[in-house]
Amino acid sequence: MRILITNDDGIHGPGLRALALAAAEIGDVKIVAPERERSACGHAMTMREPLRVHRAGSWHDFEAHEVNGLPVDCVNVGLTEIWPDGCDLVLSGINNGPNLGFDITYSGTVAGAMEGCINGIRSFSFSMAMLDGHTPPHFETGTAWIARHWETLLALPHEPLLFWNVNIPARPLEEVGEPRFCRMGERVYKDRVERRSDPWGRPYWWQGGIVVMDPSDPTTDVGTVAQGGVSLTPISLDWTRHDVLDRVRGGATSRT
Ligand code: MN
């Protein structure tokens, strides 16, 4: 199986190697990743400047390339130059942090899988979900969990406009619960923009905020990961609200 891997934490992100190790169990891995961290870039792409691609050093057994761009750029460069005859699987991650609920709209990790999906390739995004500021990411858990569950992952539906977002709780492998199929939950931020002062007294603003989420609903990705399970969420590239479309059209089905 021909596998393209990218991420948004950059070519030096430890989760990238963690994912490559898991993927090497099932196929030939080629890595194309941003030369530096580009987290929270969403589905942006580079259009107003050239992309430069270099063979990355220190990757031992893996073929790895770094790009002065974003995860979407990496997938497109990868499908054009690195796997010119196409590939079978696009993987993005493992992200250093969760991509739950609305986070997926900001996520460069999820965007990498989304771009694979747009190109018609079976795609997954993977994230280690630590829900506080002091838990380590436990990438070794990510490697082991993914390596053990390829059969499950590759048996999931692969259809046009569909990809899978996977969040693995950041804890030792033996403490990870069962995988669960989940819908996207809600993960919003309180006090998102914080006003601060620089050393000269000039104001600046820093975005971060405190996460507010309801961990009690096990049908959501947020609830599943909060309860220690692995969330498997099918994501559609069709953002249309078909129920609303049907309603405003007076009951006629939106797909006809
Ligand atoms: Mn990231």
Side-chain angles (χ1 to χ4, degrees), residues 205-246:
W205 289 262
W206 201 302
Q207 291 205 91
I210 300 158
V211 174
V212 183
M213 59 182 207
D214 174 8
S216 65
D217 184 345
T219 69
T220 66
D221 53 1
V222 168
T224 293
V225 167
Q227 293 166 18
V230 175
S231 65
L232 303 173
T233 304
I235 306 289
S236 174
L237 261 167
D238 182 355
W239 291 7
T240 310
R241 273 286 299 267
H242 287 279
D243 59 329
V244 174
L245 195 52
D246 288 348

Side-chain angles (χ1 to χ4, degrees), residues 18-199:
L19 183 52
L21 289 170
E25 303 267 330
I26 55 160
D28 298 327
V29 171
K30 295 187 181 186
I31 295 162
V32 185
E35 63 185 8
R36 62 186 173 88
E37 188 188 340
R38 306 306 295 260
S39 291
C41 65
H43 201 219
M45 67 189 295
T46 303
M47 293 187 70
R48 299 284 184 261
E49 54 193 83
L51 295 171
R52 308 286 182 187
V53 184
H54 299 286
R55 186 76 185 245
S58 308
W59 269 91
H60 307 288
D61 294 338
F62 292 106
E63 179 181 332
H65 307 263
E66 56 184 53
V67 179
N68 62 332
L70 304 162
V72 167
D73 303 323
C74 292
V75 170
N76 288 328
V77 165
L79 295 178
T80 308
E81 294 293 333
I82 311 303
W83 286 116
D85 298 324
C87 72
D88 307 299
L89 200 55
V90 170
L91 308 176
S92 187
I94 305 172
N95 191 57
N96 183 16
N99 277 306
L100 301 164
F102 303 142
D103 286 351
I104 71 168
T105 65
Y106 307 112
S107 171
T109 305
V110 173
M114 198 184 302
E115 195 64 12
C117 172
I118 285 173
N119 282 280
I121 301 164
R122 183 191 290 273
S123 299
F124 295 87
S125 48
F126 294 100
S127 304
M128 296 310 302
M130 49 283 208
L131 301 180
D132 57 47
H134 48 82
T135 304
H138 284 284
F139 286 119
E140 75 290 349
T141 295
T143 300
W145 190 92
I146 296 166
R148 282 185 193 185
H149 288 83
W150 278 124
E151 204 173 329
T152 305
L153 293 169
L154 295 177
L156 294 173
H158 168 46
E159 299 170 8
L161 308 182
L162 169 70
F163 66 97
W164 290 86
N165 184 37
V166 181
N167 280 268
I168 302 164
R171 49 173 70 185
L173 184 65
E174 59 273 17
E175 295 174 20
V176 171
E178 288 299 302
R180 201 183 279 165
F181 297 115
C182 307
R183 64 189 175 90
M184 197 179 130
E186 294 184 13
R187 197 166 188 263
V188 295
Y189 293 82
K190 187 172 69 141
D191 302 328
R192 180 102 228 204
V193 177
E194 188 176 313
R195 183 188 166 116
R196 299 180 179 184
S197 291
D198 74 11

